[in-house]
Amino acid sequence: MRVLVWAENCESIYPDGVHGAIASTLSEDLPQVRAATATLEDPGCGLDDSVLEQTDVLVWWAHVRNEEVPDDVAQRVYERVLRGMGLIVLHSGGEAKVFRRLMGTSCTWGWREPGERELIWTVCPSHPIAQDVGDVIELTEHQMYGEYFDIPRPDDLVFISSSPGGEVFRSGCTFTRGNGRIFYFSAGHETLPIFHHPQIRKVMANAVTWAYPVNGFVKARGFRRMDPV
Amino acid sequence: MRVLVWAENCESIYPDGVHGAIASTLSEDLPQVRAATATLEDPGCGLDDSVLEQTDVLVWWAHVRNEEVPDDVAQRVYERVLRGMGLIVLHSGGEAKVFRRLMGTSCTWGWREPGERELIWTVCPSHPIAQDVGDVIELTEHQMYGEYFDIPRPDDLVFISSSPGGEVFRSGCTFTRGNGRIFYFSAGHETLPIFHHPQIRKVMANAVTWAYPVNGFVKARGFRRMDPV
Amino acid sequence: MRVLVWAENCESIYPDGVHGAIASTLSEDLPQVRAATATLEDPGCGLDDSVLEQTDVLVWWAHVRNEEVPDDVAQRVYERVLRGMGLIVLHSGGEAKVFRRLMGTSCTWGWREPGERELIWTVCPSHPIAQDVGDVIELTEHQMYGEYFDIPRPDDLVFISSSPGGEVFRSGCTFTRGNGRIFYFSAGHETLPIFHHPQIRKVMANAVTWAYPVNGFVKARGFRRMDPV
Amino acid sequence: MRVLVWAENCESIYPDGVHGAIASTLSEDLPQVRAATATLEDPGCGLDDSVLEQTDVLVWWAHVRNEEVPDDVAQRVYERVLRGMGLIVLHSGGEAKVFRRLMGTSCTWGWREPGERELIWTVCPSHPIAQDVGDVIELTEHQMYGEYFDIPRPDDLVFISSSPGGEVFRSGCTFTRGNGRIFYFSAGHETLPIFHHPQIRKVMANAVTWAYPVNGFVKARGFRRMDPV
């Protein structure tokens, strides 16, 4: 399972960056994973066709520089997802060009500065991404994201988050586009050790496993004249 | 639009009972509605076939006596819903035999004694039931209902509620069964004036309008040998 | 209800074009409709902001020239849909830039030259778009469209079509994007009098009525800092 | 993976019954499967609690004797599904008490005597149940099932079938109820060697694998007072 973790490479509490921290925990938690990283600073964002063709699941974390990703890079990732690549979109990655392109909506939402407790409730306990996660994840401190979150109806709504102020957020949502499986997860802010939280690690490992293209990659079919069967 | 409001007829803050209060506000808010009421105490629960056949939308409110509804009454209501009758299930009506029969699940959830603030967030603003409701409804005091709520995936998740303790609840959900439209809404506790709240009244009026069987009532089709078209 | 019917303006059996025929039948069948038309040949495709701002529901019919619609026109229509405008996409309009942008997929499918009988089966009889349509629509001659149709999971699958060769097609699908309601319908080929067929007219009238933005138009909200409630 | 194949034990082309044929092919195709069988003739239908507690996935095939299954047997199976047991419902098993109980609808459909060609089209190629199945399965002879099929909206519609007469049928549908995953598949008639067809075998193996309760079995939670988190 070839996983590529992409991030903006902003300042964070993680010595090797958010991408480094995620790649490292995924490698520890899933022996079958070979994790690589790429960032906005790499040539072509580190997302050339040759790289994407060696990627089964792409993890996409972003903070505030989503608009700096060139359109053709977003398009390449988009096309690879339709062919089968799994995509895990994290935190402000919900604003990413490729995610908006896949959703067909604005993907905007509300937020506040970090510092409030977040509870992440499992509302689809039978889903593979919820396996061994438990009823609720407590983040003692996180950044509040709140509705209305402008996404299409998810295939499965797996998690709903709340803040002490009473805001709610559909924080864990699955989608299918073409042959690709997509999971949006609102964790985790770069100034807080969210990706070290044991239950968040479990969600991440489950998500990557779930998004793996079990049916392989398909070629684009295009419009086609059909012969009788 | 013939609406029947059914309730347990327990003690409440409403002089004419919960059913009376709902019937009265619906009649005020929707000129086209002719609202009647029925309760658990009525013969046959007030839900004879002759009554159901004159009902376009049934509003079902319950508190703690769901098990006292006879099986054959639940079955009659169930069959009328499949034929096309709209069904609005309120509060502990989620425990009702007929709702569980329509859902195919246990429909259980968590709760606490009343007394906490509830925020009800609109997460599907384009839905007719959300029309003119706004981003959020504040109930200064209500009874907390919390996940996991054991229902099938809703057709549309319209509202999500939160409590100050951080619990969340899928408090407004639509379903289709046969020709019937169903809306579950977790409002409102009988000791609090929830059904007088202007936004709750708006939701109720929208829900009844939405659940009306625009395509009419159908006969049960059964298993049928098909002739070639 | 301000309806704009857009088409490519190709050769067809309809003296006033496909757009003219649809606009005319909608006006006859729905007294509340004020129907206008626009085509690919009009300046700005007849889809300037001033036009879109006066449009509640846009009907989009296309044949083979989807790529000739400029990107900025597709973008304008896309943004208007997210704000609330209903969109009815017909026939090869499934290939339109704006439809693919809203779906987030390739929207490709299979087809054959016209000349085969098509049966269109109602599989969601409770849906407003199926009102008074009946169990099945027979088109004695039409163009076969076949699966795999690369769209996201529809909100509701209302119609499935078949050809004598045994191909099937999800020919009537609803979607929601932002505040906008979208209905894809695979009818009707320009060399056959499909839009005069009484049941197709019924579907068209139902679809326009259903797609009307009952909750009005919303402004784009963007990312927003949330104050506590 | 403990699989129990249940059937009516009617006359069929299979020397060991439909149940025997399915159990045998599943054992061949999935090394991890330990398959047992039970029939309507067994005491308690072979579905005592002690048996169900040792079952991860139940395959249910029926012909015409669905009403002979006692209510308490259907109820036991129903409760085990909500706790996590996978359920594969085949052919006229769509009429089974337990399936109707899980769906909340009548589950009726149309049919003709066997003898027509059936094409089964994959309309969700990314689904695990469609893995390596291909675009279409041809059954040179089968029993036509046709819409309207009275089921709730499926989680995923994986297959659609057609007959030469032009009827269509949602022949492969997934559902979730509580912790249990359910797959309805309209194959295969007992007088035709459907379960020996290589692609049908692939669907069966995929379905059993998909329905396995990866998240384990849960206890019924009931209504519960929630302590603050």
Side-chain angles (χ1 to χ4, degrees):
Chain A
M1 199 183 292
R2 302 162 300 176
V3 177
L4 181 64
V5 183
W6 189 94
E8 265 182 44
N9 203 15
C10 63
E11 252 186 85
S12 77
I13 59 151
Y14 303 104
D16 300 321
V18 173
H19 47 288
I22 294 172
S24 155
T25 55
L26 283 175
S27 299
E28 278 178 48
D29 295 345
L30 294 173
Q32 71 274 33
V33 157
R34 205 175 63 217
T37 62
T39 72
L40 187 59
E41 279 74 27
D42 294 330
C45 295
L47 294 167
D48 284 344
D49 273 335
S50 61
V51 172
L52 290 172
E53 268 156 37
Q54 300 299 320
T55 302
D56 297 317
V57 180
L58 177 63
V59 179
W60 188 283
W61 183 93
H63 177 40
V64 292
R65 295 169 63 197
N66 283 295
E67 288 311 301
E68 295 179 36
V69 174
D71 285 354
D72 64 320
V73 171
Q75 183 66 19
R76 280 204 299 272
V77 175
Y78 166 78
E79 283 167 13
R80 178 79 178 160
V81 171
L82 293 195
R83 290 183 49 207
M85 183 175 71
L87 180 67
I88 313 297
V89 176
L90 298 169
H91 202 51
S92 291
E95 232 186 305
K97 285 180 182 179
V98 65
F99 186 61
R100 284 183 283 136
R101 181 107 178 70
L102 287 159
M103 295 297 102
T105 58
S106 75
C107 300
T108 51
W109 66 86
W111 54 275
R112 271 205 295 274
E113 294 302 334
E116 303 175 47
R117 182 174 83 144
E118 177 174 336
L119 296 181
I120 306 174
W121 294 88
T122 301
V123 296
C124 188
S126 65
H127 200 283
I129 295 181
Q131 191 180 351
D132 296 330
V133 168
D135 291 345
V136 62
I137 303 173
E138 181 185 353
L139 301 178
T140 49
E141 207 182 346
H142 198 225
Q143 175 172 32
M144 187 281 286
Y145 278 11
E147 297 282 346
Y148 173 64
F149 183 20
D150 183 26
I151 49 171
R153 187 192 297 183
D155 287 359
D156 277 302
L157 175 59
V158 186
F159 301 113
I160 298 175
S161 288
S162 70
S163 76
E167 289 85 4
V168 298
F169 195 66
R170 288 169 291 168
S171 52
C173 301
T174 70
F175 304 91
T176 309
R177 291 292 181 272
N179 245 49
R181 294 172 171 211
I182 301 159
F183 179 58
Y184 174 79
F185 191 44
S186 65
H189 199 69
E190 69 279 3
T191 65
L192 300 161
I194 305 299
F195 292 113
H196 290 158
H197 189 294
Q199 284 164 292
I200 299 291
R201 285 177 71 150
K202 192 80 196 106
V203 172
M204 293 293 296
N206 289 345
V208 163
T209 306
W210 169 82
Y212 181 82
V214 286
N215 295 8
F217 288 86
V218 295
K219 293 222 174 101
R221 299 196 220 200
F223 292 93
R224 54 201 183 274
R225 194 181 298 256
M226 287 177 84
D227 292 319
V229 180
Chain B
M1 200 182 293
R2 303 161 300 175
V3 177
L4 181 64
V5 184
W6 188 95
E8 264 181 45
N9 203 14
C10 64
E11 252 185 84
S12 77
I13 58 151
Y14 303 104
D16 299 321
V18 173
H19 47 287
I22 294 173
S24 154
T25 55
L26 284 175
S27 299
E28 278 177 48
D29 295 345
L30 295 172
Q32 70 275 33
V33 158
R34 204 176 63 218
T37 61
T39 71
L40 186 59
E41 278 74 27
D42 293 331
C45 295
L47 296 165
D48 284 345
D49 273 335
S50 60
V51 172
L52 290 173
E53 267 156 38
Q54 300 299 320
T55 302
D56 296 316
V57 180
L58 176 64
V59 178
W60 188 284
W61 184 93
H63 178 40
V64 292
R65 294 168 64 195
N66 284 295
E67 288 312 301
E68 295 179 36
V69 174
D71 285 353
D72 64 320
V73 171
Q75 183 65 20
R76 279 204 300 272
V77 175
Y78 166 80
E79 282 166 14
R80 178 78 178 160
V81 170
L82 294 195
R83 290 183 50 206
M85 182 177 70
L87 181 67
I88 314 297
V89 176
L90 298 169
H91 203 50
S92 290
E95 233 186 305
K97 285 179 182 179
V98 66
F99 187 62
R100 286 184 280 135
R101 181 107 178 71
L102 287 159
M103 295 296 103
T105 58
S106 76
C107 301
T108 52
W109 66 86
W111 53 275
R112 270 205 294 275
E113 294 302 335
E116 303 176 48
R117 182 174 84 145
E118 179 174 335
L119 296 181
I120 306 174
W121 294 88
T122 301
V123 297
C124 189
S126 65
H127 200 284
I129 295 181
Q131 191 181 351
D132 296 330
V133 169
D135 290 345
V136 61
I137 304 172
E138 180 184 353
L139 302 179
T140 49
E141 206 182 346
H142 197 224
Q143 175 172 32
M144 188 280 288
Y145 278 10
E147 297 281 346
Y148 173 64
F149 183 21
D150 184 26
I151 49 171
R153 186 191 299 182
D155 287 359
D156 277 302
L157 175 60
V158 185
F159 301 113
I160 298 176
S161 289
S162 70
S163 77
E167 288 86 4
V168 299
F169 195 65
R170 288 169 291 167
S171 51
C173 300
T174 69
F175 304 91
T176 310
R177 292 292 182 272
N179 245 49
R181 295 172 170 213
I182 302 159
F183 179 58
Y184 174 79
F185 191 43
S186 65
H189 198 69
E190 70 278 5
T191 65
L192 300 161
I194 305 299
F195 292 113
H196 290 158
H197 189 292
Q199 284 164 292
I200 298 292
R201 284 176 72 149
K202 191 80 196 106
V203 172
M204 292 293 296
N206 290 344
V208 163
T209 307
W210 169 83
Y212 181 82
V214 285
N215 296 6
F217 287 86
V218 294
K219 292 224 174 100
R221 301 198 218 199
F223 293 94
R224 54 202 183 272
R225 192 181 301 257
M226 287 177 83
D227 292 320
V229 181
Chain C
M1 199 182 293
R2 303 162 299 175
V3 177
L4 181 65
V5 183
W6 188 94
E8 264 181 45
N9 203 14
C10 64
E11 252 185 84
S12 77
I13 58 151
Y14 304 104
D16 300 320
V18 174
H19 46 288
I22 295 173
S24 153
T25 55
L26 284 175
S27 299
E28 278 177 48
D29 295 345
L30 295 172
Q32 70 274 33
V33 157
R34 203 176 62 219
T37 62
T39 72
L40 186 58
E41 279 73 28
D42 294 331
C45 295
L47 295 166
D48 285 345
D49 273 335
S50 60
V51 172
L52 290 172
E53 267 156 37
Q54 300 298 322
T55 302
D56 296 318
V57 179
L58 176 63
V59 178
W60 188 283
W61 183 93
H63 178 40
V64 292
R65 295 168 65 194
N66 284 295
E67 289 311 300
E68 295 179 36
V69 174
D71 286 353
D72 64 321
V73 171
Q75 183 66 18
R76 279 203 301 271
V77 175
Y78 166 79
E79 283 167 14
R80 178 78 178 161
V81 171
L82 294 194
R83 289 182 50 206
M85 182 176 70
L87 181 66
I88 313 298
V89 176
L90 298 169
H91 203 50
S92 291
E95 233 186 306
K97 285 179 181 178
V98 64
F99 187 62
R100 285 184 281 135
R101 180 111 178 68
L102 287 160
M103 295 296 103
T105 58
S106 75
C107 300
T108 51
W109 65 86
W111 53 275
R112 271 204 294 274
E113 293 302 334
E116 303 176 50
R117 181 175 83 145
E118 178 174 336
L119 296 181
I120 306 174
W121 294 88
T122 301
V123 297
C124 188
S126 64
H127 200 284
I129 295 180
Q131 191 180 350
D132 296 329
V133 169
D135 291 344
V136 62
I137 303 171
E138 180 184 354
L139 302 179
T140 49
E141 205 182 347
H142 198 225
Q143 176 173 32
M144 188 281 288
Y145 278 11
E147 297 281 345
Y148 174 64
F149 184 20
D150 184 26
I151 49 171
R153 186 192 300 182
D155 287 0
D156 277 301
L157 175 60
V158 185
F159 301 113
I160 298 176
S161 288
S162 70
S163 77
E167 290 85 4
V168 298
F169 196 66
R170 288 169 292 167
S171 51
C173 300
T174 69
F175 304 91
T176 310
R177 292 291 182 272
N179 244 51
R181 295 172 171 213
I182 302 158
F183 179 57
Y184 174 79
F185 191 43
S186 66
H189 198 69
E190 69 278 4
T191 65
L192 299 161
I194 306 298
F195 292 113
H196 290 158
H197 190 292
Q199 283 164 292
I200 299 292
R201 283 176 72 149
K202 191 79 195 113
V203 172
M204 293 293 296
N206 289 344
V208 163
T209 307
W210 169 84
Y212 180 82
V214 285
N215 296 6
F217 288 87
V218 295
K219 292 222 175 100
R221 300 199 219 200
F223 293 94
R224 56 204 182 269
R225 193 181 299 259
M226 287 178 83
D227 292 320
V229 180
Chain D
M1 198 183 292
R2 302 162 300 177
V3 177
L4 181 64
V5 183
W6 189 93
E8 263 181 45
N9 203 15
C10 64
E11 251 186 86
S12 77
I13 59 150
Y14 304 104
D16 300 321
V18 173
H19 47 287
I22 295 173
S24 153
T25 54
L26 283 175
S27 299
E28 277 177 49
D29 296 345
L30 295 172
Q32 70 274 31
V33 157
R34 205 176 63 217
T37 61
T39 72
L40 186 59
E41 279 74 27
D42 293 330
C45 295
L47 294 167
D48 285 345
D49 273 335
S50 61
V51 171
L52 290 173
E53 268 157 36
Q54 300 298 320
T55 301
D56 296 317
V57 180
L58 176 63
V59 178
W60 187 284
W61 183 93
H63 178 41
V64 292
R65 295 169 63 195
N66 283 295
E67 288 311 301
E68 295 179 35
V69 175
D71 286 353
D72 64 321
V73 171
Q75 183 65 18
R76 280 204 300 272
V77 174
Y78 167 78
E79 283 168 13
R80 178 78 178 162
V81 171
L82 293 195
R83 289 183 49 206
M85 183 175 71
L87 181 67
I88 313 297
V89 176
L90 299 169
H91 204 51
S92 292
E95 232 187 305
K97 286 180 181 179
V98 65
F99 187 61
R100 284 183 281 137
R101 181 110 178 67
L102 287 159
M103 295 297 102
T105 58
S106 75
C107 300
T108 51
W109 66 86
W111 54 274
R112 271 204 294 274
E113 294 302 333
E116 302 176 50
R117 182 174 83 145
E118 178 174 335
L119 296 181
I120 307 174
W121 294 88
T122 301
V123 297
C124 188
S126 65
H127 200 283
I129 295 180
Q131 192 180 350
D132 296 330
V133 169
D135 290 345
V136 61
I137 303 173
E138 180 184 353
L139 301 180
T140 49
E141 207 183 346
H142 198 225
Q143 176 172 32
M144 188 281 286
Y145 278 12
E147 297 282 347
Y148 172 65
F149 183 21
D150 184 26
I151 49 170
R153 187 191 298 183
D155 287 0
D156 277 301
L157 175 60
V158 185
F159 302 113
I160 298 176
S161 288
S162 70
S163 78
E167 289 86 2
V168 299
F169 196 66
R170 289 170 291 167
S171 52
C173 301
T174 70
F175 304 91
T176 309
R177 291 292 181 270
N179 244 50
R181 294 172 172 213
I182 301 159
F183 179 58
Y184 174 79
F185 191 43
S186 66
H189 199 69
E190 70 279 3
T191 64
L192 300 160
I194 306 298
F195 292 113
H196 290 156
H197 190 293
Q199 284 165 292
I200 299 290
R201 284 176 72 149
K202 192 78 195 111
V203 172
M204 292 293 296
N206 289 344
V208 163
T209 306
W210 169 83
Y212 181 83
V214 286
N215 295 6
F217 288 86
V218 294
K219 292 223 175 100
R221 299 196 219 201
F223 292 93
R224 54 202 183 273
R225 193 181 299 255
M226 288 178 84
D227 292 320
V229 180

